[in-house]
Amino acid sequence: QKYFNYATGLRMVDDKKWEHLFGFPKRNPTDELKQHHCNLGLAIQMVTEEVVIKMAEEAKRMTGAENICLSGGVALNCVANGKLQNTGVFKNMFIQPASGDAGGSVGAAFAAYHEYFGKKRIIPDALDNMKGALLGPAFTDKDAERMAMQFKAPWHRYDKFDELADAVTDFINQGNVIGWMQGRMEFGPRALGNRSILGDARNPEMQKRLNLKIKYRESFRPFAPSVLAEEAPNFFEMKSHSPYMILVQNVVKSRRNKLPEDYHNYEVRDKLYYQRSDVPAITHIDFSARIQTVHKDVNPRYWKLIDTFRQKTGYGIIVNTSFNVRGEPIVCTPEDAYRCFMRTDMDYLVINNYLFIKKEQPEWQEKKKWQEDFVLD
């Protein structure tokens, strides 16, 4: 434990001791990614998976239960969750979507409900009682209009959601990036279609663009797919639904691209940018993906959007990443969404039934004019 500092300090590890133990300094976000960084990351991940599986097997031995529920920060390790699922030790797995400190509020509420008030557990007849984790605040059309007035932001209103979905899916199909804000905010660390940034999973440049020009983070970081629950088996080796983007499983072999014979001699970044499937923006280096299955009865508007995209392209899948930039929380209000939209290279913003086009915004036009004048000068 002398190598760790999480119990009494504000950091996970003692950096100096780790550097001495492993023989190289900690990598900063702007530093080049080297093979020894990858090796250490893989080693830690493999040990984590081994521990998680052994703990689950011991729980099975002690209880004989067919079902397991996971929570806590390590339960957000989607790769370990997928590996545990693939062992078949348990028939069913449920992973709390707000695993980590935030989810402690759910446990506290249930402890009071059952232990203090003596209430019995009601087994849900739906997917679960988390309502898709869409439990946060929602904002009205009036809120959106008030924000637009505040920022003098031109907008287009769609009275029919079908027409909005038709327009937005055309934008995605054309390679654009969409800020998407609808209904109640998600509870937990994942954006699940109500505070999301959306793109085309088929676009080979989408991953790099989202990372460098919108999320402002390392360009190699992968993104997650939102896929229609009905379409998921066509893309992934699915063993269950994954509504909370908390399981990793492999892309089906029929969609994978063959690796070159000398692939393993490539530099790290060349490996990362090799197109490994027909949905390259969401396919990890090992042909896996962190999957969110979208269900019509849980989030009908988001499901409708993806289904409209499927009808046009044959692909019931899009890129979904959280609506924020690095170092900031996921947007909550219309004001948050508009500010994030204007500070990044997103092309369109949708709030409820309102569409904002970047090129129409006064701030963008002023910036464009300044850039043109600067070049002329």
Side-chain angles (χ1 to χ4, degrees), residues 22-25 27 32-41 268:
F22 291 105
F24 57 87
R27 176 182 172 270
E32 183 181 357
L33 186 69
K34 299 285 190 178
Q35 188 61 50
H36 56 263
H37 299 129
C38 301
N39 294 343
L40 179 60
V268 172

Side-chain angles (χ1 to χ4, degrees), residues 191 197 207-218 221 223 321-328 330 344-345:
I197 298 173
Q207 176 188 350
K208 188 181 294 186
R209 184 186 173 196
L210 286 171
N211 273 323
L212 294 179
K213 295 192 174 184
I214 295 171
K215 302 293 281 191
Y216 300 132
R217 65 187 191 184
E218 300 99 327
R221 288 178 176 266
F223 290 98
T321 187
S322 58
F323 198 154
N324 67 309
V325 296
R326 185 180 68 180
E328 293 190 0
I330 298 174
T344 64
D345 277 359

Side-chain angles (χ1 to χ4, degrees), residues 284-295:
H284 299 170
I285 195 168
D286 61 352
F287 294 106
S288 67
R290 179 164 54 96
I291 305 157
Q292 178 201 2
T293 52
V294 180
H295 302 258

Side-chain angles (χ1 to χ4, degrees), residues 17 33 63 76 93-95 175 182 216 220 234 244 254 257 267 270 277 300 337 339 373:
K17 288 180 179 177
L33 186 69
T63 66
L76 292 173
M93 283 177 55
F94 178 79
I95 304 159
Q182 301 287 320
Y216 300 132
F220 66 83
N234 296 331
Y244 300 119
S254 60
N257 295 332
E267 294 293 329
D270 293 331
S277 76
R339 288 192 186 97
D373 290 346

